[in-house]
Amino acid sequence: MNKLEARNVNVFYGPNQVIKDVSISIKKNTVTAFIGPSGCGKSTFLRLFNRMNDYIDIFKMEGRIEIDGSDIYDKQIRVEELRKQIGMVFQKPNPFPKTIYENVIYGLRIQGIKDKKILDEVVEKSLKQAALWEEVKDKLKNSALALSGGQQQRLCIARTLAVAPTVILMDEPASALDPISSAKVEELIYELKSQYTIVIVTHNMQQAGRVSDTTAFFYMGELVEHDSTKMIFTNPKNERTQNYITGRFG
Amino acid sequence: MNSSKKNRLKDNAFKYFGIGCTTFGLAMLAIFIGNILIEGFARIDWDFITNFPSRNPDKAGILPALIGTLWIMGLTAIISIPLGISAAIYLEEYGKKSRLANVLEINISNLAGVPSIIYGLLGLEIFGRIMGMGGSLLAGASTLSLLILPIIIVSTREALKAVPKSIKEASFAMGASKWQTISYQLLPASFGGIITGIILALSRAVGETAPLIVIGALAYVPFVPSSPTDEFSVLPIQIFNWISRPQKGFAINAASAIIVLLMVTFVLNGIAMYLRNKWQKKVQW
């Protein structure tokens, strides 16, 4: 069974249709890259999976989105529970203005977990998973805002991992970082693949090529083509995909 | 004259005009405070603070008015802070954007500009008569709470708005509910701004005279109020009362009471500035 499944999804912002009849299946423990020119709807589409568009007043959706076969827009679904399962990493690193330690345990804290031993364990495990432990283990009580941009982004990843999600959504996670930090985040994505299903929006074609198993090309709110990354980059079926990845527009 | 020269001239002209305006404001304030200090400073001693009002200006003191002012300040804070912050949170975080919300919003800003004596009349009718509080501390504090509520709501909303959207998104994406996001992230991050607004609003309340006169605060109080249902006076009313007397001695008393009142508001503003600086240093994006 597919981990994530979107069926005939339409999204409207007021009178504007920004997603047009998109259906896509995403397999468990794979990395899927969403590519496409700015304004093509790929970020909007990504944010459907953890219902972050719900906060936009003029947002309206049709169609069905499933995780493990159950409809996430069902009225019975508690959106807070859903987001523990589907974590998200944003474009700009957005750590809370608190200590590194508090940042990592935020998800547990809001679930009411207070046991210091559990919290300590989770902090160490999550920071190690995010390849940040060695750099910050002696300053867990320092403000997260004192970290560099790349470290902040890995902290945001650690914070997401701490609540043990099964899916991680990443909205251009490396676009605000320098090349070295960006490479570290890519490496991390590659390692996390074995345990998590990852969907990543990226502007960077090379990045999509390096980290993803499958690639979906969006254009003007439509899903033009979704195939294995290798196919998309070497032998795309659609002419628009071909034009985009060869840099003829976008 | 070429244009760059002309521009520089204009630049300089405005600079000196600005300096003039600033100096004018400061000079007026300095003259006012200097005048008050010369008149009243010598009169301030422990007896002046701890004596009751009297027909003899040399024996008269401000104790009941000062205690009344502190009571009013405390009660107003207790009433207005929870109301103001809750209303602001609702409007900013829960309220849907609708035409009704817009009307509400404009009205709250307008309320901040309603003359205070109108609030006095409202307080007299609602708190004094209908709710039967009479001319008590509680009636006064409730009236002043209404008066400063719009200020607290507006400043709290501004402080909440100043928290970056990315923090809110991060919290929601972690599975936090709205209230958890507000209590764990938004309120701590905006605390400095909120507290500053509250203190400035309270220092405005402390200086109000008209609404309290309307609801029936007394000019002569021969006792120290000891519970919220007691009748009371406050410093501005005491000052007003003394100023209106013919004897020179009372004018001096009024100047001294003004110094005490100014001290109270300066201390409040000082605390506001201290807290703002402290929290701004702690929370930076």
Side-chain angles (χ1 to χ4, degrees):
Chain A
M1 188 168 59
N2 292 315
K3 183 72 189 173
L4 298 170
E5 181 95 50
R7 287 188 202 155
N8 306 101
V9 172
N10 290 298
V11 172
F12 302 86
Y13 286 157
N16 300 324
Q17 184 166 10
V18 290
I19 298 289
K20 293 168 191 159
D21 195 30
V22 173
S23 299
I24 193 170
S25 304
I26 291 169
K27 288 200 171 55
K28 197 169 176 243
N29 294 3
T30 57
V31 177
T32 303
F34 289 176
I35 61 169
S38 300
C40 68
K42 57 194 190 304
S43 280
T44 299
F45 191 67
L46 183 79
R47 292 158 77 95
L48 289 175
F49 289 99
N50 65 342
R51 295 185 53 172
M52 286 302 279
N53 291 328
D54 292 15
Y55 300 106
I56 300 167
D57 288 334
I58 53 173
F59 163 78
K60 206 177 105 237
M61 190 194 105
E62 292 166 357
R64 192 179 159 92
I65 292 184
E66 295 173 355
I67 174 168
D68 298 324
S70 60
D71 181 4
I72 66 166
Y73 281 84
D74 190 284
K75 287 215 163 43
Q76 303 292 318
I77 291 279
R78 285 196 54 224
V79 77
E80 291 87 3
E81 296 296 324
L82 173 75
R83 290 185 187 141
K84 279 170 207 162
Q85 237 186 108
I86 306 185
M88 185 165 213
V89 177
F90 295 83
Q91 177 173 11
K92 199 170 152 260
N94 55 356
F96 301 121
K98 295 174 186 290
T99 63
I100 295 171
Y101 187 91
E102 282 293 329
N103 261 283
V104 180
I105 64 165
Y106 183 68
L108 302 178
R109 191 158 288 256
I110 58 180
Q111 291 174 34
I113 296 168
K114 291 199 181 82
D115 189 336
K116 181 101 174 61
K117 226 180 100 202
I118 297 176
L119 296 179
D120 286 347
E121 276 171 21
V122 169
V123 167
E124 182 168 346
K125 184 172 160 243
S126 312
L127 287 172
K128 275 181 176 161
Q129 267 185 300
L132 189 60
W133 175 251
E134 289 304 321
E135 291 160 64
V136 301
K137 64 181 176 190
D138 299 321
K139 44 181 184 182
L140 294 174
K141 299 290 173 195
N142 291 9
S143 169
L145 300 179
L147 297 174
S148 74
Q151 288 173 323
Q152 285 186 4
Q153 192 62 305
R154 276 178 285 148
L155 178 63
C156 292
I157 294 175
R159 176 175 75 186
T160 304
L161 297 177
V163 290
T166 55
V167 178
I168 303 174
L169 309 173
M170 298 185 166
D171 192 354
E172 300 187 42
S175 66
L177 306 179
D178 64 86
I180 293 172
S181 304
S182 177
K184 276 187 185 162
V185 170
E186 277 182 28
E187 221 171 277
L188 193 55
I189 293 170
Y190 199 78
E191 278 164 27
L192 292 174
K193 189 170 78 170
S194 62
Q195 297 169 59
Y196 306 91
T197 306
I198 296 173
V199 186
I200 175 173
V201 164
T202 180
H203 263 300
N204 182 329
M205 222 73 68
Q206 287 80 14
Q207 186 176 64
R210 282 191 298 264
V211 302
S212 68
D213 302 306
T214 70
T215 296
F217 172 60
F218 286 81
Y219 185 64
M220 308 268 283
E222 285 172 48
L223 174 60
V224 176
E225 195 169 350
H226 178 211
D227 208 332
S228 77
T229 299
K230 205 174 152 202
M231 281 297 282
I232 293 276
F233 279 90
T234 55
N235 193 12
K237 293 187 188 70
N238 191 296
E239 198 185 339
R240 280 181 295 181
T241 317
Q242 167 104 39
N243 288 344
Y244 183 70
I245 60 158
T246 52
R248 239 165 267 165
F249 77 100
Chain B
M1 193 154 47
N2 63 26
S3 78
S4 86
K5 216 170 181 179
K6 213 153 70 187
N7 279 337
R8 206 164 59 198
L9 209 72
K10 275 188 195 160
D11 213 16
N12 270 330
F14 185 77
K15 190 173 102 187
Y16 289 111
F17 178 70
I19 291 174
C21 292
T22 313
T23 330
F24 178 76
L26 286 177
M28 286 298 143
L29 191 66
I31 291 170
F32 166 69
I33 290 179
N35 201 5
I36 295 289
L37 282 177
I38 292 166
E39 283 246 335
F41 193 68
R43 179 70 181 84
I44 295 182
D45 53 18
W46 193 240
D47 280 346
F48 182 69
I49 306 284
T50 57
N51 275 2
F52 288 90
S54 156
R55 274 195 309 193
N56 180 346
D58 295 332
K59 284 198 189 135
I62 55 167
L63 183 65
L66 181 61
I67 301 293
T69 287
L70 295 178
W71 264 106
I72 283 286
M73 201 163 82
L75 287 174
T76 305
I78 291 172
I79 298 168
S80 63
I81 293 173
L83 283 177
I85 293 185
S86 309
I89 290 175
Y90 172 76
L91 288 172
E92 196 57 40
E93 303 300 330
Y94 288 90
K96 284 250 166 25
K97 303 270 171 286
S98 64
R99 187 162 293 177
L100 183 73
N102 279 339
V103 171
L104 218 65
E105 205 156 305
I106 293 167
N107 269 313
I108 285 174
S109 309
N110 279 341
L111 279 179
V114 171
S116 59
I117 196 149
I118 312 274
Y119 282 101
L121 291 169
L122 181 71
L124 174 68
E125 188 56 31
I126 293 180
F127 302 121
R129 294 191 182 142
I130 297 177
M131 294 174 76
M133 295 179 189
S136 66
L137 280 166
L138 201 56
S142 305
T143 307
L144 290 180
S145 296
L146 286 186
L147 178 74
I148 64 170
L149 213 47
I151 309 176
I152 295 183
I153 292 175
V154 169
S155 63
T156 302
R157 290 188 66 183
E158 290 305 319
L160 287 172
K161 248 184 230 161
V163 180
K165 197 168 149 243
S166 63
I167 296 294
K168 225 158 88 178
E169 280 197 323
S171 178
F172 284 140
M174 293 297 298
S177 65
K178 220 161 197 176
W179 174 243
Q180 283 173 326
T181 301
I182 291 165
S183 59
Y184 283 109
Q185 302 297 343
L186 297 187
L187 287 180
S190 57
F191 182 77
I194 294 175
I195 202 85
T196 308
I198 287 172
I199 292 174
L200 293 179
L202 279 179
S203 69
R204 156 122 198 247
V206 164
E208 278 298 339
T209 324
L212 295 181
I213 291 180
V214 173
I215 66 151
L218 306 172
Y220 175 74
V221 184
F223 57 87
V224 170
S226 61
S227 92
T229 52
D230 283 349
E231 296 193 296
F232 69 101
S233 184
V234 289
L235 282 173
I237 293 180
Q238 185 69 71
I239 293 165
F240 177 68
N241 175 262
W242 275 338
I243 286 281
S244 53
R245 302 235 195 155
Q247 298 99 316
K248 173 78 177 134
F250 283 119
I252 295 172
N253 282 358
S256 310
I258 288 173
I259 297 174
V260 175
L261 181 59
L262 280 178
M263 295 277 277
V264 173
T265 49
F266 282 173
V267 166
L268 280 177
N269 287 349
I271 295 172
M273 260 194 279
Y274 170 76
L275 287 173
R276 187 171 47 204
N277 291 342
K278 192 178 154 191
W279 281 82
Q280 256 168 10
K281 242 174 253 159
K282 206 169 151 192
V283 184
Q284 46 194 209
W285 317 108

